[in-house]
Amino acid sequence: MLLLASTSPRRSELLKMAGYEFTAAPSDVSEGYLRGTPPMQIVELLAARKAEAVAKRNPQDTVLGADTVVVFKGRVLGKPKDAEEAKAMLRLLSGNVHQVYTGYCVISGKELIRGHECTSVEFYPLSETEISAYCETEEPMDKAGAYAIQGRGALFIKRIDGDFYNVMGLPIGKINRILTGLKNSSKENS
């Protein structure tokens, strides 16, 4: 059985879209990290922490953990605490290019595969009216970088370089290749 070590509706949506049957199994682990840690290490560490916690409770299952952060000029932007922080994040991203990093970790038996994907996103310049109206929708509140590419936040995006689904929170093409490889490997070994 596949377990998703996450409560993210977006990650669930992407796995369903790809035809996977799975169960969401929240990890309830700390998402803290040391300041100054490079973004790719942050997301890989947090994805592994989530997957390992769930795998420990379910050693017979395949577990997928993931974590996403938005990075602008070296500054990691997580989920905003409130509307004012969301507005501040959107002002930073306005008219600029930023990176979205998603780390992943798949654990199946003794196999542990972890890595990350990075996508660059360029925003159009945003007016204060656009930022305020968007923050009133509540959409930015549980999203890294305070926007959802699959929602109204799509209206802010001028250009994307990389995996679109990575910006949603899961590079599903890459994850599919990993899960398919594990499935084929276990068939060969049985």
Side-chain angles (χ1 to χ4, degrees), residues 71-90:
V71 179
F72 176 67
K73 294 186 178 179
R75 181 175 167 192
V76 175
L77 306 177
K79 298 174 184 176
K81 292 188 230 45
D82 55 33
E84 288 311 306
E85 188 174 35
K87 289 176 185 178
M89 288 181 185
L90 292 168

Side-chain angles (χ1 to χ4, degrees), residues 28-53:
D28 300 320
V29 297
S30 164
E31 294 193 22
Y33 56 87
L34 293 173
R35 287 189 67 146
T37 304
M40 64 284 294
Q41 289 179 4
I42 292 169
V43 294
E44 286 188 30
L45 168 77
L46 295 178
R49 191 182 290 165
K50 292 173 184 180
E52 289 166 351

Side-chain angles (χ1 to χ4, degrees), residues 158-169:
K158 182 176 184 178
R159 183 175 295 120
I160 181 171
D161 183 17
D163 186 330
F164 171 86
Y165 296 107
N166 182 57
V167 183
M168 278 182 68

Side-chain angles (χ1 to χ4, degrees), residues 1-3 25 51-63 106-112:
M1 171 182 282
L2 177 61
L3 300 178
E52 289 166 351
V54 172
K56 190 177 284 186
R57 297 189 307 259
N58 304 278
Q60 71 287 356
D61 296 319
T62 298
V63 179
V106 178
I107 299 174
S108 184
K110 294 182 181 181
E111 292 265 1
L112 185 149

Side-chain angles (χ1 to χ4, degrees), residues 81-166:
K81 292 188 230 45
D82 55 33
E84 288 311 306
E85 188 174 35
K87 289 176 185 178
M89 288 181 185
L90 292 168
R91 285 184 200 107
L92 283 176
L93 301 178
S94 174
N96 290 303
V97 175
H98 63 274
Q99 287 69 45
V100 179
Y101 289 87
T102 298
Y104 54 85
C105 181
V106 178
I107 299 174
S108 184
K110 294 182 181 181
E111 292 265 1
L112 185 149
I113 301 165
R114 85 185 222 186
H116 69 275
E117 185 71 28
C118 179
T119 303
S120 290
V121 179
E122 182 179 0
F123 266 28
Y124 286 106
L126 306 176
S127 69
E128 280 299 314
T129 303
E130 287 175 295
I131 291 170
S132 292
Y134 183 58
C135 289
E136 287 175 15
T137 69
E138 296 292 316
E139 184 177 274
M141 296 317 300
D142 69 336
K143 316 293 187 301
Y147 75 95
I149 194 170
Q150 74 280 9
R152 288 187 185 176
L155 301 175
F156 303 155
I157 296 171
K158 182 176 184 178
R159 183 175 295 120
I160 181 171
D161 183 17
D163 186 330
F164 171 86
Y165 296 107
N166 182 57

